């Protein structure tokens, strides 16, 4: 087993009742790593380009995802709550990204689709539909802001 596998397994709860739960813990942990890397990249990128507002919002991902990884390992909160907090953090950052970079005219306007995919990946069908509706409402909000 290499160092990456050992590190990843160290982020999972020690006792899991069934394979389905273990897969969900692994998915949430993997997404924590991935979103943390995206946040770290964004933090470095926006600071180097001088967009301090976006760099500051990237801290939501850089600080939030390791905390979620700890919560995922501790297995003290319901799994859907941890999953929805993860989607919430991603939606906050993507909303700010779109807003600060031009709203509807932003090249980042497609990020709500990524949030929807994340929601369906880490949570269940019901929460995926709820996050889809919220992301659609966000896009409608950007349309309204563009028209006013």
């Amino acid at each position: 087993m290499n160092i990456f596998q050992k590190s990843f397994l160290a982020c999972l709860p020690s006792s899991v009742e069934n394979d389905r739960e273990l897969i969900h813990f692994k998915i949430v942990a993997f997404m924590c790593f991935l979103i943390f890397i995206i946040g770290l990249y964004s933090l470095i990128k926006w600071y180097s380009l001088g967009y301090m507002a976006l760099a500051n919002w990237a801290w939501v991902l850089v600080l939030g995802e390791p905390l979620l990884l700890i919560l995922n390992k501790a297995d003290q909160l319901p799994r859907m709550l941890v999953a929805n907090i993860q989607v919430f953090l991603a939606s906050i950052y993507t909303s700010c990204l779109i807003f600060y970079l031009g709203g509807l005219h932003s090249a980042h306007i497609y990020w709500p689709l990524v949030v929807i995919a994340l929601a369906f990946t880490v949570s269940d069908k019901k929460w995926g539909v709820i996050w889809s509706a919220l992301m659609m409402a966000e896009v409608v909000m950007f349309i309204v802001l563009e028209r006013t």
Side-chain angles (χ1 to χ4, degrees), residues 35-47 58 62 93:
I35 295 170
F36 173 77
I37 291 169
I38 291 169
L40 193 60
Y41 167 78
S42 298
L43 181 68
I44 294 166
K45 175 184 175 181
W46 297 125
Y47 267 125
V62 171
Y93 180 70

Side-chain angles (χ1 to χ4, degrees), residues 50-103:
Y51 288 110
M52 294 307 150
L54 282 174
N56 291 336
W57 280 107
W59 283 107
V60 169
L61 301 179
V62 171
L63 297 176
E65 293 303 322
L67 292 175
L68 280 178
L69 198 57
I70 293 168
L71 290 174
N72 189 47
K73 179 170 177 52
D75 193 21
Q76 296 298 317
L77 295 176
R79 287 181 299 138
M80 283 303 123
L81 178 61
V82 173
N84 283 308
I85 292 171
Q86 189 172 48
V87 177
F88 178 69
L89 293 176
S91 70
I92 287 173
Y93 180 70
T94 58
S95 300
C96 294
L97 187 68
I98 294 167
F99 179 78
Y100 283 111
L101 295 178

Side-chain angles (χ1 to χ4, degrees), residues 13-148:
S14 55
S15 62
V16 180
E17 292 179 14
N18 58 41
D19 289 339
R20 184 179 176 141
E21 286 185 8
L22 179 62
I23 289 171
H24 190 262
F25 284 119
K26 285 182 177 182
I27 290 171
V28 170
F30 177 74
M31 289 300 176
C32 282
F33 282 122
L34 187 63
I35 295 170
F36 173 77
I37 291 169
I38 291 169
L40 193 60
Y41 167 78
S42 298
L43 181 68
I44 294 166
K45 175 184 175 181
W46 297 125
Y47 267 125
S48 66
L49 291 175
Y51 288 110
M52 294 307 150
L54 282 174
N56 291 336
W57 280 107
W59 283 107
V60 169
L61 301 179
V62 171
L63 297 176
E65 293 303 322
L67 292 175
L68 280 178
L69 198 57
I70 293 168
L71 290 174
N72 189 47
K73 179 170 177 52
D75 193 21
Q76 296 298 317
L77 295 176
R79 287 181 299 138
M80 283 303 123
L81 178 61
V82 173
N84 283 308
I85 292 171
Q86 189 172 48
V87 177
F88 178 69
L89 293 176
S91 70
I92 287 173
Y93 180 70
T94 58
S95 300
C96 294
L97 187 68
I98 294 167
F99 179 78
Y100 283 111
L101 295 178
L104 287 179
H105 303 290
S106 171
H108 301 277
I109 192 66
Y110 298 107
W111 275 104
L113 294 174
V114 175
V115 173
I116 292 169
L118 174 67
F120 276 105
T121 302
V122 299
S123 64
D124 57 7
K125 230 186 287 187
K126 177 184 81 168
W127 283 105
V129 170
I130 290 170
W131 281 107
S132 297
L134 289 171
M135 292 295 101
M136 190 164 66
E138 175 187 313
V139 172
V140 168
M141 180 192 71
F142 283 120
I143 292 170
V144 169
L145 288 173
E146 180 73 24
R147 301 230 178 230
T148 57

